[in-house]
Amino acid sequence: MSDTPDVPSRLNTGVAHNARVWNYWIGGKDNYEVDQQVGEHVAGMFPIIRAIARADRDFLGRAVRYLAAERGVRQFLDIGTGLPTVDNTHEIAQRIAPDARIVYVDNDPIVLAHARTLLTSTREGVTDYIDADVHDPAAILERATRTLDFTKPVAVMMLGILNFVLDYDKARDIVRQVLAAVPSGSFLVLTHPTFDDALGGAGQIPAMKFWNENATPPITARSGTDIAAFFDGLELLEPGLVSCSQWHADSDSPGAVPQFGAVAVKP
Ligand SMILES: C[S@@+](CC[C@H](N)C(=O)[O-])C[C@H]1O[C@@H](n2cnc3c(N)ncnc32)[C@H](O)[C@@H]1O
């Protein structure tokens, strides 16, 4: 893990930060007054946001369980980790496969400050944390090779992160670079907010405008067509690109939310 002495100087409690507001929406305690105020304001404009955040976390749980249990995945690269919560990727994966190896990546100082919670690996497995920006996939890959064996399949997890890469071509390039580094049989697990009205997404346009004027980092949503193109060259697993709440849904899953989710395999 990176050294943490610079965390206090990097923690800006005067501006709402995504990792902390996301934590607020899913009912966590690792957030400040400014995060709560902005989180409440966004929820007032776009009430389904809390259900989206929970549906996204539940999708993460179902996808990791499926990949570890049904597809034998033992390595996970979780980019845009978020603050530790009840079930983090390594806890879900290592419950099924104690030898699973997980590398977390985030660039928010609050996630770095709490990263120790992400590093409580089983004895048989490994966890690591990289303090890095998704815009620099080469640096992430270089550092991840210390923990992950890139000759064996890796599940690349990009949940709610490419929406912070505002340039679409750059976002696609990041996915291409990371997937180019992993072998055949690797997976891409992705969630992404959408403006598509089929999922009720148009309502988040004013809320995202408010976010971009009052919080950080700036965010965008995308059409289902643009999100589907992140999977070019990969094979989407059933049921394809759907509301993340409906991917391998169980009886507790809510209805559709304007957040696409999918899992694909590299052929
Ligand atoms: C919406 S949260 C999603 C958290 C988690 N993946 C989930 O699905 O619950 C997005 C996370 O991405 C991180 N993030 C935003 N921009 C980033 C960047 N440029 N580089 C790395 N992480 C970033 C934020 O700090 C935050 O923790």
Side-chain angles (χ1 to χ4, degrees), residues 90 94 98-102 116-128:
H90 73 286
Q94 291 184 340
D99 59 337
R101 305 173 80 80
I102 291 90
R116 261 175 225 299
T117 315
L118 299 170
L119 297 170
T120 53
S121 174
T122 54
R123 263 187 304 114
E124 302 89 326
V126 182
T127 55
D128 192 15

Side-chain angles (χ1 to χ4, degrees), residues 18-19 22 56-57 80-82 106-108 132-134 159-161 164:
N18 175 263
W22 190 251
D56 178 281
R57 289 304 303 184
T81 305
D106 207 288
N107 74 340
D108 196 300
D133 193 313
V134 70
L159 276 67
I161 174 75
F164 295 110

Side-chain angles (χ1 to χ4, degrees), residues 6-70:
D6 64 339
V7 166
S9 65
R10 284 173 55 198
L11 263 188
N12 182 350
T13 57
V15 178
H17 271 228
N18 175 263
R20 303 182 324 222
V21 179
W22 190 251
N23 171 264
Y24 176 68
W25 285 328
I26 58 179
K29 299 275 176 276
D30 299 313
N31 46 72
Y32 298 93
E33 200 178 338
V34 68
D35 306 309
Q36 295 153 17
Q37 283 168 355
V38 167
E40 277 305 315
H41 195 96
V42 170
M45 297 175 82
F46 188 55
I48 200 174
I49 190 68
R50 284 194 175 86
I52 292 175
R54 281 194 296 269
D56 178 281
R57 289 304 303 184
D58 290 346
F59 165 87
L60 179 148
R62 294 195 302 277
V64 172
R65 269 193 297 278
Y66 169 78
L67 291 174
E70 310 287 329

Side-chain angles (χ1 to χ4, degrees), residues 9 29 67 76 88 98 104 127 162 174 176-177 196 203 218 224 237 250 255:
S9 65
K29 299 275 176 276
L67 291 174
F76 295 81
N88 303 297
Y104 291 109
T127 55
L162 290 174
I174 290 167
R176 268 194 295 265
Q177 277 193 58
D196 277 6
L237 306 186
D250 51 35

Side-chain angles (χ1 to χ4, degrees), residues 238-254:
E238 287 296 325
L241 183 69
V242 293
S243 161
C244 65
S245 58
Q246 293 176 338
W247 191 92
H248 291 209
D250 51 35
S251 53
D252 294 338
S253 298

Side-chain angles (χ1 to χ4, degrees), residues 206-226:
M208 280 193 175
K209 183 169 183 292
F210 172 83
W211 175 271
N212 288 341
E213 287 164 356
N214 293 281
T216 192
I219 191 167
T220 190
R222 296 192 162 98
S223 69
T225 309
D226 282 354

